[in-house]
Amino acid sequence: MSAAPDIDRRMLEALVEHWLPEAGERKLLLVHGRYTEGADRSFPVKNSERRCRVHVADQHSLLGALEAWQEHQSSHADDPDALLVVTTSVADQQFGWDLLAYAVQRRVLSVDRAEIVARRFGARDVDPRIRQEPWLIDALLDAEPAEGWPRTASVLTRDRAIQALISVRLGRAALGDDAVDIGTLLDFSLDPAGTTRFAALPDAERDGLTDWLTHTVGDAAGLLLRLAAEGRAADAMPLGVVGTAAVGETASTSAALAFGGLLGGVRPEQLIAFTEAVEGALERWVSEAESGGRHSRAARDRVFAVTRRAEELATRAGLTADLAGNRFLPSAFTARLHSVATALTAALDGAGLDAAENALVALREHHLARLEDERMRAVDLAVRVVRWLALPLREPASVADGITTYSTEWAWVDRALTTLWAGDPAGDPVLGRAFELVFRAARQRRDALDAAFAAHLPRWTTRAGVHDTGGCLLIEQVLDEVAMPLARQSAPVIVVLDGMSAAVAAELAEQLAENAWLEVSPREHRIAAVSAIPSVTRASRPSLLAGTLTAGDQTVERDGFARFWKGPGRSGQLFHKADIGGDAGHRLSDRLLEALSDESVAVAVVLNTIDAALDHGREGDRTGWRLHDITYLPELLDAARNYGRPVVLASDHGHVLDRADGPPVPGDGAESARWRTGEPGDGEIALRGPRVLLGGGNVVVPWREDIRYTHRKAGYHGGAALAELTVPVLVVLPSLHPLPPGWTVLAADRVAPAWWHRRAEQAPAPASVPVSSERAPRAVPPRVVPPRDPHEMSLFAVDAPEESAKPGESLGERVVASEVYAGQKAFLPKAPDRKAVAAVIDALVESGNRLPLTTVATLTGRTVTRAAVLTTTLQRLLNVDGYPVLSMDGGQWLTLDVETLCLQFGVERD
């Protein structure tokens, strides 16, 4: 008989389970082997037919075995379920019948380790290849988890056995959905516990697993596991990033040699496979980080951990220059940022915009750009401002022209300058210097526009009134000309955002559109009013809420608002700060909710968050406002949506931000930060007339933003700058809602000036879509085919039968009629409607190959959330072989690569 094998409790349990049905009355099991020292000597075993209590004796002499049996008989005579298992190295033929007669099968049983493995998996037999690999049998017997191996079919296959072993040895991270691939192995490479376990495995087992994974997954797996075995698993993905310098047509011999110093003995085809796998995994993580899902933060951290380590390795090997074109390396990202900075500076010196635009495109192609939202936002805004600077300067021809142009164009400049003033979020000095130059150039031009606007104010102020507005919407007319027409359907909710500038309004309007609010206007563009003078709360807010030019306190506002709305079947209620909040457990007060629920009551709510932040210095480093930053605004919007009420968001005045470190400007009669009495000086004008409600009807106000008369704050108002006198008015509807006659829907992506979204030379699209008062509004371009019922349209409508392309069809129509598209669609069980897909493609082309997700929602009759799901499906349809025909930018913008689209689908451009 061969040498006695080592046997542990699990092996004995399997043997007992197998032989128990045939034991009958016999209470002895002789097993050839050596029992593991320190293992349990007594334990229960049961199978489907019976159970027993096993007692183990490890005896390697005839006398010892006989004594163990005799002792068992005397000690467990009264226990019918007691079974003695004797493990022994004594050959079967040396035992006499005095002992064998009591043993199961009347012989010493051999241990078939492969058979034991099969039983532990619930199988009757094993794949013959398992028997030829002792390392695998040893590993399976050693690694069985506490809960046992998972049950399998009647025959345990080699692949199933190795997969089960991998899940224990390497961890579940290396085995995704029972199918190991290079992606799950790369995830595993970042698990220190799993890689440490792998490195500590016996050589034979480690080599066996490596061979199987290399055969199953490919060459990349072999290289990764080699690194894990060497204790370098954490550097596997970083090396995959750096390794791109040593592969490809442009790789130099010196780069290959330098990389060899980091990782030698790698075949070229193996390195190519590995680098491609690493880049694929990183792209997957970047997409996961962009998604904003539960694991997005962890995915972002993984990407940066890998790329920063790759940067260290590249620096050590002297490969940074060779990796300048790499789309993951941080230094390559920084280099592209600096290229934009250089191009911005050159554009300011008259070199033209093309270099800056191309540098921005190249920057967006770097994968880290998708994770650096704040930095990319700042760079993008800098390029936008330079586009504006490249346009001819057109000074306002009148006060009305200045207010309208500011609210529809120049406010976006101010919005961008707020971000540029704060600099690069990461503190890059090169980028910061470029931002400073752009800011100074734009501010100089904005000062010129403010000066030109201020020149029209003295004459206009002396005669302006409701009977002679000079083409302006006056602040006291907002209720009558904006809110009252809406009340014919349902009384509006009027939210007064004290101190909101047109720049802040532009930002909030975009967020409202993202939340499925539809912006409408009585004109072809977003409207704005002119504040009272000086542009302070005490003069402007009562005028807004009373519907007549007046100054006063909250009592004047409350009484004036109620008086304006008083009439048959209607009334108005105004809520200030103390009236808004509810009791414990309730965000809004009962009185406010009761008023909101009555559609005959016009409700006005004053929110002071913006003005308070400026006045009390709580602005900090803020470079923008979000809806949720403004106390009570999200709750009011939700309530208005629930009750189907239109919402008017208006300000009482705008503001200018503090941009100077100097002391206050001396001035006689200073009443506030931005107005005084006396004689005007440099950068100031004197205003008098019926619109001047304070200072005895005669005030001095600065038009320059850097003048203040009081101590320093985060922002100021009261002066004559466009940003202060312009009162933004946003009108939004919660759903498809009948409009007053002559009103229009403002398409979300068309409200901003043309240079905001596209290169300056591209022609702007219409800002609004005229809508008849007889039907519900739809903000759609001409080519869009609306769904029959936007409320009932499923996420994936069933396509109509395929039609061949016809002459004169749009690019989108030609794409969806192509054979390639039909092939792509075959892989999707429920493809989107062909007309919707074509409409999205055509709208992208018309908009300079870039659209906000809100417009995609409008085009397809979906909410923004469902449009995001549709976008993922569109990418699966259009990104043939993984080429990024359609991509998401920052989670909010859809970008189309028209050249690749036409190439992949075999169609010609228009």
Side-chain angles (χ1 to χ4, degrees):
M1 184 172 284
S2 60
D6 292 331
I7 299 175
D8 60 16
R9 172 179 167 172
R10 291 188 181 280
M11 297 172 66
L12 282 189
E13 286 176 344
L15 281 170
V16 173
E17 287 175 9
H18 177 72
W19 292 110
L20 196 56
E22 301 183 28
E25 298 299 322
R26 291 182 169 82
K27 307 293 185 178
L28 176 63
L29 194 68
L30 298 173
V31 179
H32 184 245
R34 292 183 180 274
Y35 193 58
T36 304
E37 185 176 354
D40 294 338
R41 297 287 174 148
S42 178
F43 48 84
V45 173
K46 65 178 181 178
N47 60 17
S48 59
E49 299 180 13
R50 58 184 290 191
R51 56 174 297 166
C52 69
R53 163 64 65 173
V54 173
H55 302 274
V56 182
D58 189 49
Q59 298 292 338
H60 299 280
S61 68
L62 288 172
L63 182 59
L66 183 59
E67 288 178 349
W69 169 240
Q70 290 172 346
E71 182 183 350
H72 177 80
Q73 284 181 305
S74 62
S75 300
H76 303 285
D78 297 330
D79 185 357
D81 294 328
L83 175 69
L84 176 65
V85 176
V86 176
T87 55
T88 182
S89 56
V90 178
D92 185 66
Q93 60 272 21
Q94 295 181 23
F95 282 102
W97 282 104
D98 54 341
L99 193 59
L100 292 178
Y102 296 99
V104 176
Q105 293 292 302
R106 299 182 179 181
R107 62 185 175 88
V108 178
L109 300 175
S110 299
V111 177
D112 185 338
R113 294 167 64 83
E115 189 174 325
I116 295 293
V117 168
R119 290 172 189 159
R120 301 312 297 170
F121 279 89
R124 291 197 299 269
D125 202 354
V126 297
D127 186 326
R129 291 175 296 175
I130 293 178
R131 295 182 178 275
Q132 298 170 9
E133 297 182 286
W135 73 266
L136 180 55
I137 296 174
D138 291 343
L140 291 169
L141 291 172
D142 176 68
E144 184 174 2
E147 66 275 14
W149 290 117
R151 304 292 93 176
T152 187
S154 60
V155 176
L156 175 63
T157 65
R158 178 175 180 266
D159 288 347
R160 186 71 186 88
I162 294 180
Q163 286 177 340
L165 181 62
I166 287 172
S167 70
V168 174
R169 296 300 204 199
L170 276 61
R172 293 296 302 178
L175 191 67
D177 299 327
D178 291 331
V180 65
D181 58 28
I182 190 59
T184 56
L185 283 178
L186 289 169
D187 290 343
F188 154 77
S189 73
L190 300 183
D191 173 21
T195 56
T196 300
R197 284 196 304 270
F198 178 79
L201 291 176
D203 292 348
E205 182 180 350
R206 194 170 57 240
D207 293 344
L209 290 177
T210 300
D211 288 344
W212 184 86
L213 286 167
T214 302
H215 176 77
T216 304
V217 177
D219 277 348
L223 181 52
L224 187 151
L225 293 173
R226 170 194 150 185
L227 290 167
E230 295 172 356
R232 302 173 64 194
D235 279 346
M237 292 193 71
L239 285 168
V241 175
V242 179
T244 58
V247 298
E249 296 179 357
T250 59
S252 64
T253 303
S254 60
L257 290 172
F259 181 74
L262 295 173
L263 180 63
V266 183
R267 291 177 285 108
E269 61 272 17
Q270 187 181 36
L271 182 57
I272 290 172
F274 186 66
T275 56
E276 290 176 350
V278 168
E279 290 189 332
L282 285 172
E283 286 184 21
R284 174 167 57 87
W285 293 350
V286 169
S287 297
E288 187 177 0
E290 277 186 307
S291 70
R294 187 160 55 97
H295 302 296
S296 60
R297 179 67 187 182
R300 186 179 190 275
D301 291 343
R302 288 199 304 271
V303 172
F304 279 110
V306 168
T307 55
R308 285 168 183 158
R309 177 57 177 162
E311 189 74 69
E312 294 174 4
L313 294 174
T315 301
R316 183 198 304 173
L319 288 170
T320 303
D322 296 273
L323 290 165
N326 186 277
R327 295 198 298 162
F328 287 104
L329 210 64
S331 61
F333 179 63
T334 300
R336 296 188 191 202
L337 284 171
H338 290 176
S339 293
V340 176
T342 301
L344 287 172
T345 304
L348 294 176
D349 292 336
L353 284 171
D354 284 347
E357 297 283 5
N358 294 335
L360 180 60
V361 170
L363 177 62
R364 286 178 177 152
E365 290 174 351
H366 197 287
H367 290 295
L368 294 187
R370 298 160 60 186
L371 304 183
E372 295 280 14
D373 291 344
E374 292 303 314
R375 301 189 76 187
M376 287 300 299
R377 178 173 178 268
V379 172
D380 192 56
L381 290 176
V383 173
R384 290 173 178 179
V385 172
V386 171
R387 289 178 194 155
W388 176 70
L389 288 170
L391 298 173
L393 177 64
R394 188 186 70 80
E395 294 184 347
S398 64
V399 171
D401 183 36
I403 295 293
T404 298
T405 309
Y406 181 75
S407 66
T408 58
E409 179 175 357
W410 301 333
W412 274 263
V413 178
D414 286 358
R415 174 184 170 187
L417 294 184
T418 300
T419 297
L420 296 184
W421 172 266
D424 174 41
D428 186 289
V430 175
L431 208 54
R433 175 58 180 164
F435 288 173
E436 179 186 359
L437 294 174
V438 173
F439 179 91
R440 300 297 179 197
R443 191 60 256 169
Q444 183 178 3
R445 177 182 258 208
R446 279 285 292 107
D447 286 345
L449 294 173
D450 275 331
F453 172 73
H456 296 290
L457 277 173
R459 181 182 177 191
W460 178 84
T461 304
T462 59
R463 57 183 174 78
V466 292
H467 301 297
D468 184 11
T469 66
C472 297
L473 174 68
L474 305 178
I475 193 167
E476 65 268 28
Q477 294 178 303
V478 171
L479 291 185
D480 193 43
E481 296 198 13
V482 179
M484 187 61 77
L486 293 168
R488 296 190 181 100
Q489 294 294 327
S490 178
V493 175
I494 302 163
V495 182
V496 181
L497 299 177
D498 198 330
M500 174 178 68
S501 66
V504 173
E507 191 167 18
L508 295 181
E510 289 181 3
Q511 298 163 42
L512 288 166
E514 292 169 6
N515 285 277
W517 287 90
L518 195 66
E519 186 176 1
V520 298
S521 173
R523 301 183 185 173
E524 295 294 317
H525 52 76
R526 182 175 294 161
I527 58 173
V530 188
S531 77
I533 298 171
S535 53
V536 294
T537 299
R538 189 153 53 99
S540 291
R541 199 167 78 190
S543 300
L544 169 69
L545 292 169
T548 185
L549 200 60
T550 185
D553 56 13
Q554 291 187 3
T555 301
V556 173
E557 295 170 2
R558 186 179 295 106
D559 293 344
F561 189 76
R563 186 166 48 251
F564 179 89
W565 288 100
K566 186 176 181 180
R570 75 184 189 207
S571 63
Q573 291 187 40
L574 171 61
F575 296 81
H576 289 99
K577 181 179 180 179
D579 310 315
I580 301 172
D583 294 330
H586 302 277
R587 184 65 170 160
L588 302 179
S589 68
D590 291 341
R591 191 166 73 87
L592 175 53
L593 288 173
E594 182 180 355
L596 289 168
S597 67
D598 187 348
E599 64 180 19
S600 69
V601 178
V603 177
V605 182
V606 177
L607 301 181
N608 304 97
T609 304
I610 296 174
D611 194 56
L614 298 169
D615 189 50
H616 300 295
R618 291 197 294 266
E619 184 77 356
D621 294 328
R622 185 189 300 279
T623 58
W625 286 90
R626 303 292 298 174
L627 294 173
H628 58 73
D629 293 333
I630 302 172
T631 307
Y632 296 119
L633 181 56
E635 292 82 3
L636 288 169
L637 291 171
D638 287 343
R641 188 192 299 276
N642 292 337
Y643 292 118
R645 304 277 289 266
V647 177
V648 178
L649 292 102
S651 179
D652 51 352
H653 54 74
H655 66 261
V656 295
L657 295 173
D658 183 79
R659 299 297 185 222
D661 296 327
V665 174
D668 297 333
E671 298 285 343
S672 183
R674 293 274 292 171
W675 76 272
R676 64 181 182 86
T677 58
E679 296 299 320
D682 184 33
E684 300 174 316
I685 55 173
L687 297 178
R688 60 180 59 87
R691 298 203 61 74
V692 182
L693 301 184
L694 302 177
N698 191 342
V699 297
V700 172
V701 290
W703 57 262
R704 264 180 29 205
E705 289 194 3
D706 60 347
I707 294 177
R708 59 181 170 86
Y709 307 124
T710 58
H711 63 277
R712 190 177 185 187
K713 299 180 180 179
Y716 316 95
H717 55 84
L722 278 162
E724 295 168 286
L725 287 180
T726 302
V727 175
V729 181
L730 304 176
V731 183
V732 292
L733 305 180
S735 61
L736 300 178
H737 190 285
L739 291 182
W743 282 49
T744 60
V745 174
L746 301 180
D749 59 315
R750 310 295 192 189
V751 177
W755 54 264
W756 186 257
H757 291 317
R758 60 188 71 86
R759 297 192 182 199
E761 67 270 13
Q762 294 176 316
S768 62
V769 181
V771 180
S772 168
S773 60
E774 303 298 323
R775 61 185 178 90
R778 294 190 59 81
V780 294
R783 254 191 211 122
V784 174
V785 179
R788 294 184 180 89
D789 187 344
H791 298 289
E792 298 179 1
M793 183 175 181
S794 64
L795 181 60
F796 298 113
V798 178
D799 268 347
E802 300 286 346
E803 301 174 7
S804 58
K806 300 178 178 65
E809 286 183 323
S810 69
L811 176 61
E813 289 166 338
R814 293 197 299 275
V815 167
V816 299
S818 67
E819 292 183 3
V820 176
Y821 181 84
Q824 288 289 100
K825 196 182 75 171
F827 291 103
L828 294 179
K830 291 184 178 180
D833 181 73
R834 294 172 66 238
K835 292 181 179 179
V837 176
V840 172
I841 293 173
D842 292 335
L844 279 161
V845 173
E846 291 176 2
S847 301
N849 305 328
R850 199 162 181 258
L851 273 181
L853 198 58
T854 51
T855 300
V856 177
T858 303
L859 291 172
T860 56
R862 292 161 167 83
T863 65
V864 174
T865 301
R866 291 171 71 83
V869 177
L870 172 65
T871 298
T872 301
T873 306
L874 290 176
Q875 288 177 306
R876 294 177 63 187
L877 277 170
L878 302 180
N879 293 356
V880 181
D881 296 331
Y883 285 91
V885 172
L886 194 66
S887 57
M888 284 290 290
D889 182 3
Q892 296 295 333
W893 287 85
L894 207 58
T895 302
L896 180 70
D897 185 336
V898 178
E899 298 288 346
T900 306
L901 174 76
C902 296
L903 180 65
Q904 294 287 67
F905 287 88
V907 297
E908 295 183 0
R909 293 192 63 166
D910 291 326

